[in-house]
Amino acid sequence: MKFIPHNYQRYCITRIIQDEALALFLDMGLGKTAITLTAVNDLIFNRFLVSRCLVIAPKKVAEDTWTREQDKWDHLRMLKVLPVLGDRNRRIRALNSPGNVWVINRENVPWLVDYYRNDWPFDMVVIDESSSFKSHKAKRFKSLRNIRGHINRLVELTGTPSPNGLTDLWAQVFLLDGGQRLGRTLTEYRNNYFTPASRNRTTIFSYEPLPGADEAIQERIRDICISLSAKDYLELPERIDNFRYVKLDSRARKAYDEMERERILELPEGVLDAGSAAVLSGKLLQLANGAVYRTTERYEDDRAIENRETVEVHGNKVEAFLELVEELNGRHALVFYNFQHDLERLERALAKSGLRMAELKNAADIADWNAGRTDILFAHPASVAYGLNLQQGGSDVIWFGLNYSLELYQQANARLHRQGQEHTVRIHHLVVEDSVDEDVVGALQKKSDCQTALLEALKARVEKYRT
């Protein structure tokens, strides 16, 4: 695909090339990855100013997004992007493989710094979602700070640089300039721009900015930070569709492939009918999400009683969901699930997050959401009625599990993407790579009849295993 950058993208690309330290505070959907890879490509192959680039990203983003984006654009065909993931031996093998850009998850930054020490080979580093480096106490921040002198170029990417307030900025800006603009220590930064908000005699619990601090801080960092909002620059309707592709680990991949093959080979010979297709699709959709229902029978007084239990197979999609929620940095999300076990696992995963969760059941739940008293609202798309107004409570939709119903999909998205919504609506889709999830996405994008699309997709999978 040919990359034709918008004017704001051209500007950002030029700034990355010109500036040795730069933060791009860009909203989701403005093309941070494409912008950065285009600049890196130019720095490596045209200007010879960079030899090896390291990208630090959330795990699921590191697994897929950067390599997928490189494959997408024609002008990046010479660029070789290598994920540095897996166990220690696999990471070392990837680091020693020929390439231009190496992508590692942020949890492994301390290991990477310790592995290379003073032989640090990356002259350029990109931090994807730099807000995850906002804590000056975190090991990842300390490790990168220690190696900063060996890095010639640093780029930070995020849509929410200060999710919890202006204090979040210090660590991110320090990595860019070593403390020149906001102070060499967090204490200096706080003394200059903040006052204690709550404290006892010996301990300060929180800070609030001094009058005019916001403007003063912005002025100090203006030359190394670019901030763009989607509503000001997107030349599209006020909706962004974001597809987050999830790569299954080897164990989950094997389980999915085995179930798909065995279920398909169990089908009767002849034409796949709607009944058997629906059952097969349902099982595969469950497994892509991470769990399946297993039905067992027990007998009481000669009567067969069915028991349905949930068997959890993998947590890959739940992990991607948690990373996505973290990236929202406090923005509320309407989450659509497909199966009851999806809801149960997501609630467990968020149990210790401190987020206020609710399941959409009645008018009180709607009122709490629209009043901003709910951070994560779970709903099944079939339970979201026509005309239901949820647009006041948030502007982010997360599809943890999709289904083939175009009507349900469109109506569910319309709960936030409707008149009265004051913000750009982002529709996030968690899609397991090389699975029935991709079939569903394809059908929805083509606006196909759901039953026809289901049959055609599964017929193709039947042919794959029976030939």
Side-chain angles (χ1 to χ4, degrees):
M1 185 184 298
K2 187 175 182 180
F3 180 61
I4 304 175
H6 299 290
N7 289 335
Y8 74 85
Q9 292 176 320
R10 292 182 186 277
Y11 173 71
C12 292
I13 292 166
T14 300
R15 287 292 302 274
I16 292 176
I17 293 170
Q18 292 177 347
D19 298 1
E20 292 185 349
L22 185 70
L24 294 184
F25 298 155
L26 272 62
D27 266 355
M28 283 184 182
L30 289 180
K32 293 189 288 289
T33 309
I35 288 169
T36 306
L37 283 175
T38 301
V40 170
N41 186 72
D42 189 272
L43 286 166
I44 291 176
F45 295 115
N46 297 332
R47 301 172 189 268
F48 310 108
L49 295 175
V50 170
S51 59
R52 292 167 66 95
C53 177
L54 175 73
V55 175
I56 302 168
K59 185 170 181 286
K60 292 299 179 185
V61 175
E63 286 179 345
D64 181 85
T65 302
W66 287 83
T67 51
R68 185 179 292 274
E69 198 72 14
Q70 183 272 325
D71 288 338
K72 181 178 178 181
W73 304 109
D74 295 341
H75 72 295
L76 300 177
R77 62 185 180 276
M78 291 179 61
L79 205 62
K80 187 171 183 180
V81 180
L82 296 171
V84 184
L85 302 166
D87 60 30
R88 186 178 187 275
N89 289 335
R90 289 181 61 189
R91 296 198 299 269
I92 292 174
R93 191 158 55 245
L95 289 170
N96 289 284
S97 299
N100 311 113
V101 179
W102 288 260
V103 188
I104 195 167
N105 57 305
R106 57 202 181 191
E107 293 81 6
N108 278 327
V109 169
W111 170 84
L112 184 69
V113 171
D114 185 63
Y115 176 73
Y116 280 116
R117 302 199 176 188
N118 288 328
D119 290 327
W120 183 260
F122 303 104
D123 44 4
M124 181 173 183
V125 172
V126 177
I127 306 177
D128 193 355
E129 289 305 325
S130 63
S131 57
S132 63
F133 281 76
K134 64 182 180 290
S135 173
H136 71 292
K137 296 180 180 179
K139 288 183 179 179
R140 66 186 71 160
F141 169 79
K142 293 178 180 179
S143 296
L144 206 57
R145 180 191 61 191
N146 291 340
I147 208 72
R148 180 64 178 90
H150 296 272
I151 301 170
N152 298 332
R153 291 176 173 270
L154 181 66
V155 177
E156 296 180 353
L157 309 174
T158 185
T160 49
S162 53
N164 302 312
L166 291 171
T167 53
D168 289 346
L169 282 174
W170 180 82
Q172 297 173 74
V173 175
F174 180 88
L175 287 176
L176 292 172
D177 68 0
Q180 294 178 26
R181 290 166 178 80
L182 298 183
R184 295 190 61 82
T185 66
L186 181 59
T187 300
E188 182 183 346
Y189 177 55
R190 285 171 172 167
N191 290 340
N192 289 337
Y193 299 102
F194 299 87
T195 187
S198 62
R199 63 183 300 172
N200 60 23
R201 190 164 55 182
T202 59
T203 305
I204 299 173
F205 299 106
S206 63
Y207 293 83
E208 63 181 20
L210 292 166
D214 195 348
E215 294 79 5
I217 292 169
Q218 289 181 28
E219 185 61 33
R220 292 286 294 168
I221 65 175
R222 187 184 304 278
D223 61 322
I224 58 169
C225 298
I226 299 172
S227 179
L228 301 179
S229 174
K231 64 183 178 63
D232 296 327
Y233 290 91
L234 276 182
E235 301 167 14
L236 296 170
E238 291 282 320
R239 168 177 164 172
I240 301 170
D241 284 272
N242 174 37
F243 293 89
R244 177 70 59 88
Y245 287 87
V246 180
K247 191 184 295 292
L248 297 180
D249 59 41
S250 58
R251 182 170 170 269
R253 181 80 261 171
K254 181 180 179 182
Y256 181 91
D257 291 343
E258 285 181 357
M259 174 176 276
E260 183 177 75
R261 181 175 60 253
E262 290 171 6
R263 288 281 177 172
I264 283 176
L265 295 179
E266 285 175 4
L267 292 172
E269 293 296 331
V271 178
L272 187 71
D273 62 47
S276 58
V279 172
L280 173 58
S281 177
K283 288 293 184 185
L284 295 178
L285 285 170
Q286 287 183 58
L287 188 54
N289 290 354
V292 293
Y293 288 124
R294 181 170 63 190
T295 302
T296 59
E297 285 189 352
R298 60 185 176 85
Y299 289 86
E300 289 184 7
D301 299 327
D302 296 328
R303 289 185 300 115
I305 300 175
E306 285 191 350
N307 289 325
R308 190 176 71 170
E309 61 177 344
T310 300
V311 179
E312 191 163 354
V313 181
H314 66 82
N316 294 182
K317 210 173 195 182
V318 171
E319 184 180 359
F321 170 80
L322 293 175
E323 289 184 353
L324 179 54
V325 169
E326 182 183 353
E327 289 175 28
L328 296 183
N329 279 309
R331 291 206 307 270
H332 298 174
L334 176 60
V335 179
F336 291 114
Y337 64 91
N338 204 1
F339 304 98
Q340 185 65 28
H341 58 59
D342 295 340
L343 173 62
E344 294 165 356
R345 289 181 299 122
L346 292 176
E347 288 179 329
R348 284 202 305 271
L350 290 173
K352 297 182 180 179
S353 67
L355 296 173
R356 298 166 297 178
M357 298 180 289
E359 183 182 359
L360 180 57
K361 294 180 179 178
N362 51 45
D365 298 321
I366 296 172
D368 285 343
W369 165 259
N370 282 329
R373 293 189 290 269
T374 302
D375 300 312
I376 302 291
L377 181 63
F378 294 105
H380 192 281
S383 69
V384 182
Y386 288 83
L388 194 62
N389 290 307
L390 299 173
Q391 67 270 29
Q392 295 176 12
S395 56
D396 287 87
V397 173
I398 299 177
W399 283 92
F400 181 79
L402 289 162
N403 61 58
Y404 275 97
S405 174
L406 177 63
E407 181 182 18
L408 288 180
Y409 176 74
Q410 291 177 331
Q411 286 300 320
N413 289 334
R415 297 317 97 215
L416 299 189
H417 190 226
R418 60 193 297 105
Q419 188 174 358
Q421 175 61 254
E422 297 179 354
H423 305 283
T424 299
V425 173
R426 298 168 180 82
I427 313 293
H428 309 279
H429 309 76
L430 294 175
V431 182
V432 169
E433 189 179 67
D434 192 22
S435 77
V436 69
D437 274 359
E438 292 189 330
D439 297 339
V440 177
V441 169
L444 294 174
Q445 288 180 328
K446 294 176 183 176
K447 295 181 170 57
S448 304
D449 171 76
C450 60
Q451 181 167 299
T452 301
L454 185 154
L455 288 170
E456 290 301 318
L458 290 181
K459 282 179 183 176
R461 293 183 180 273
V462 169
E463 288 300 316
K464 180 177 76 172
Y465 287 108
R466 287 188 169 167
T467 53

